[in-house]
């Protein structure tokens, strides 16, 4: 049985109360199917508008086999292109970030405008038609300062996500923030293990002493069950809505994204060791004031989870590097006018999540080592504490199963 049919058979027969079979976490062919059917077809978070502050600002990202560049053009719009020259395929932008007046291939100097048009190609003959050799576009959308791309030939509709999420995110003014610090780590485990670890706090008390000073271990915060009946959460929603901040729990029909505002512990307002604000300047006037607005959590499979408070926001980007390697990039965003050393101390701002990320990396890597054992077999989830993990795998199974049944020809990507 080939990998596609084998995966389909295992998903059809899987017990939703148990972890997946070993191959889902280890097998190169299963990983390739994950790329083809999820990462090459869905909207992926890549970064923030504020990282492209002026004309010609760009960032690059690698999605599986696809190098992509995201650019701010002369009209101020954000565009994405395949980072591959139309001459002989060389990567055009090698740096993670930069600024360029034009996009020039370093190999033979083919030169592209910021809108992707080919402007110059040296000594290619009189019959050459530059209009036929512009950069290949990638679908690109921005919502309230968060940039998403999609590699598929036909991208899923982005409008429902935008309409739901924008009112929650917009008050924090991430579009005009700045990245105070960025950290990238590589976890030696499958991308699904990274997500499963994120979607529960069953492990938090024993592994995250810094985070547990402010973040609640209760499954109502991280999971999907019980939130509507939690009196403390409902009180926060009521108080937030009284000052015009959307706060209530919402999950999309397909389970791909969910958002809600949650209270932190002991009147904490930020992820610091003291629970006090890490940044003196709030992100915006909309979230300033005396009301404790807690932390807004946005989870959006397969690439991002986010925490937004009054004083700063944190975005996490998950990108698969291989069947047993996952890149996690964390960015701390603050008011664009906040001055390091005056309005915030960088160590105080980043300490909790730098420690938590390091602890999670160890957890994921130990989990991966154990799963590679020939003795591994799927184990039962805690219904009370791991409902979020079960929901993640429900989304994964419900998303990839019908796609595996499609003809491979339908897996063509944007051209």
């Amino acid at each position: 049985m080939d990998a596609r049919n084998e995966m389909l058979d295992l998903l059809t027969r899987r017990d939703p109360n148990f972890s997946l079979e070993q191959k889902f976490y280890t097998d190169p062919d299963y990983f390739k199917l994950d790329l083809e059917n999820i990462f090459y077809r869905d909207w992926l978070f890549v970064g923030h508008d504020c990282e492209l502050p002026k004309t010609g600002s760009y960032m690059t990202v690698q999605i599986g086999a696809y190098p992509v560049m995201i650019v701010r053009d002369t009209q101020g719009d954000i565009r994405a292109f395949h980072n591959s020259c139309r001459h002989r395929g060389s990567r055009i932008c090698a740096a993670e970030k930069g600024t360029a007046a034009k996009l020039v291939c370093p190999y033979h100097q083919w030169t592209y405008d910021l809108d992707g048009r080919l402007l110059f190609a040296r000594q290619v003959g009189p019959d050459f038609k530059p209009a036929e050799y512009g950069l290949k576009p990638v679908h690109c959308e921005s919502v309230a300062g968060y940039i998403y791309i999609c590699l598929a030939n036909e991208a899923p509709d982005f409008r429902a996500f935008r309409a739901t999420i924008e009112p929650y995110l917009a008050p924090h003014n991430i579009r005009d923030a700045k990245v105070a610090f960025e950290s990238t780590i590589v976890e030696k485990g499958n991308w699904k293990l990274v997500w499963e670890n994120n979607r529960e706090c069953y492990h938090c008390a024993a592994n995250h002493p810094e985070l547990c000073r402010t973040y609640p271990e209760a499954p109502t915060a991280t999971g999907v069950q019980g939130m509507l009946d939690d009196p403390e959460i409902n009180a926060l929603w009521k108080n937030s809505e009284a000052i015009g901040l959307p706060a209530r729990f919402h999950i999309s029909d397909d389970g791909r994204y969910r958002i809600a505002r949650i209270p932190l512990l002991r009147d904490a307002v930020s992820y610091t060791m003291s629970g006090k604000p890490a940044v003196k300047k709030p992100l915006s006037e909309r979230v300033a004031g005396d009301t404790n607005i807690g932390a807004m959590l946005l989870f959006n499979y397969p690439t991002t989870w986010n925490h937004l408070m009054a004083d700063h926001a944190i975005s996490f980007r998950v990108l698969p590097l291989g069947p047993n390697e996952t890149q996690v990039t964390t960015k701390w965003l603050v008011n664009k006018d906040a001055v390091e050393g005056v309005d915030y101390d960088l160590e105080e701002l980043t300490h909790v999540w730098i420690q938590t990320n390091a602890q999670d990396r160890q957890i994921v890597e130990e989990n991966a080592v154990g799963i590679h054992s020939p003795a591994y077999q799927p184990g039962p989830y805690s219904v009370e504490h791991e409902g979020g993990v079960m929901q993640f795998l429900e989304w994964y199974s419900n998303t990839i199963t019908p796609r595996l049944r499609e003809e491979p020809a339908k897996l063509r990507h944007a051209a």
Side-chain angles (χ1 to χ4, degrees):
M1 185 182 296
D2 63 22
R4 174 180 294 271
N5 287 318
E6 183 183 56
M7 178 187 273
L8 185 58
D9 178 63
L10 290 175
L11 287 170
T12 302
R13 295 188 292 106
R14 84 178 186 96
D15 186 331
N17 295 311
F18 279 68
S19 57
L20 296 173
E21 296 286 345
Q22 183 184 57
K23 283 191 172 183
F24 285 93
Y25 304 113
T26 63
D27 189 270
D29 290 332
Y30 279 44
F31 175 73
K32 182 180 178 182
L33 289 168
D34 280 354
L35 290 179
E36 290 175 348
N37 291 284
I38 293 180
F39 286 90
Y40 296 166
R41 296 184 62 166
D42 288 326
W43 286 102
L44 311 175
F45 167 72
V46 291
H48 298 282
D49 296 45
C50 64
E51 297 178 77
L52 305 174
K54 58 186 178 181
T55 298
S57 295
Y58 69 84
M59 67 176 73
T60 60
V61 66
Q62 185 79 26
I63 311 294
Y66 291 87
V68 177
M69 51 188 170
I70 302 96
V71 183
R72 190 177 291 276
D73 69 14
T74 55
Q75 303 301 311
D77 296 326
I78 297 175
R79 298 172 177 262
F81 302 100
H82 288 282
N83 193 1
S84 178
C85 183
R86 295 298 308 280
H87 176 211
R88 286 170 57 187
S90 175
R91 187 169 62 170
I92 297 171
C93 295
E96 291 183 5
K97 297 179 183 178
T99 304
K102 307 294 181 186
L103 302 172
V104 182
C105 177
Y107 198 178
H108 301 96
Q109 292 74 56
W110 280 35
T111 302
Y112 303 86
D113 201 354
L114 300 176
D115 63 7
R117 290 178 297 128
L118 178 62
L119 298 176
F120 172 75
R122 211 162 30 92
Q123 299 171 333
V124 289
D127 297 328
F128 181 76
K129 299 178 180 179
E132 297 179 2
Y133 294 94
L135 295 172
K136 292 188 175 183
V138 173
H139 299 286
C140 184
E141 295 280 356
S142 173
V143 52
Y146 291 72
I147 303 170
Y148 284 80
I149 64 170
C150 180
L151 293 163
N153 187 27
E154 295 184 11
D157 193 345
F158 195 79
R159 291 174 297 181
F161 175 68
R162 180 191 300 281
T164 300
I165 299 301
E166 193 160 29
Y168 286 81
L169 299 181
H172 292 264
N173 199 30
I174 300 302
R175 191 183 302 277
D176 295 322
K178 69 177 180 181
V179 176
F181 190 73
E182 177 177 339
S183 168
T184 295
I185 62 175
V186 174
E187 302 186 13
K188 295 179 180 179
N190 186 270
W191 70 275
K192 294 186 290 297
L193 292 182
V194 173
W195 266 110
E196 289 189 37
N197 177 63
N198 170 265
R199 296 305 292 111
E200 49 90 359
C201 216
Y202 193 26
H203 70 280
C204 288
N207 294 278
H208 297 317
E210 295 85 3
L211 183 62
C212 284
R213 294 174 71 94
T214 55
Y215 185 81
E217 300 172 61
T220 51
T222 303
V224 292
Q225 71 276 31
M227 185 175 287
L228 299 179
D229 301 319
D230 188 307
E232 187 177 3
I233 292 177
N234 276 271
L236 176 69
W237 291 348
K238 183 178 179 181
N239 292 338
S240 297
E241 290 169 346
I243 58 173
L245 299 179
R248 293 185 182 275
F249 176 80
H250 176 89
I251 187 168
S252 61
D253 291 340
D254 61 2
R256 183 171 59 86
Y257 61 90
R258 53 147 286 191
I259 191 165
R261 199 175 292 279
I262 66 160
L264 300 181
L265 296 178
R266 295 180 288 276
D267 296 322
V269 299
S270 191
Y271 294 121
T272 57
M273 295 299 286
S274 67
K276 296 179 180 179
V279 187
K280 293 178 182 178
K281 289 183 180 291
L283 281 167
S284 76
E285 293 182 1
R286 290 281 308 277
V287 297
D290 297 330
T291 301
N292 185 339
I293 62 171
M296 187 161 65
L297 274 56
L298 167 64
F299 302 92
N300 190 0
Y301 308 141
T303 51
T304 186
W305 63 84
N306 302 267
H307 298 252
L308 296 90
M309 289 74 63
D311 67 321
H312 74 282
I314 313 169
S315 67
F316 300 80
R317 186 185 69 194
V318 177
L319 293 177
L321 301 181
N324 301 296
E325 281 194 333
T326 305
Q327 181 191 80
V328 178
T329 297
T330 308
K331 297 176 183 180
W332 287 259
L333 296 114
V334 302
N335 187 303
K336 66 180 179 180
D337 296 323
V339 177
E340 182 183 348
V342 177
D343 297 303
Y344 64 94
D345 175 79
L346 194 59
E347 198 281 334
E348 181 183 31
L349 175 70
T350 61
H351 178 78
V352 168
W353 277 104
I354 284 180
Q355 295 300 314
T356 302
N357 285 347
Q359 293 150 1
D360 279 332
R361 173 167 55 182
Q362 182 175 2
I363 290 167
V364 168
E365 293 181 356
E366 291 298 328
N367 195 183
V369 169
I371 284 177
H372 274 78
S373 168
Y376 167 80
Q377 65 183 61
Y381 291 117
S382 164
V383 175
E384 180 179 352
H385 287 280
E386 295 176 303
V389 184
M390 296 164 71
Q391 187 275 324
F392 164 69
L393 290 182
E394 179 183 33
W395 163 81
Y396 172 75
S397 179
N398 289 346
T399 299
I400 200 169
T401 296
R403 296 176 181 180
L404 290 170
R405 293 193 174 111
E406 296 176 2
E407 292 296 325
K410 292 186 178 181
L411 300 178
R412 291 192 299 269
H413 313 306

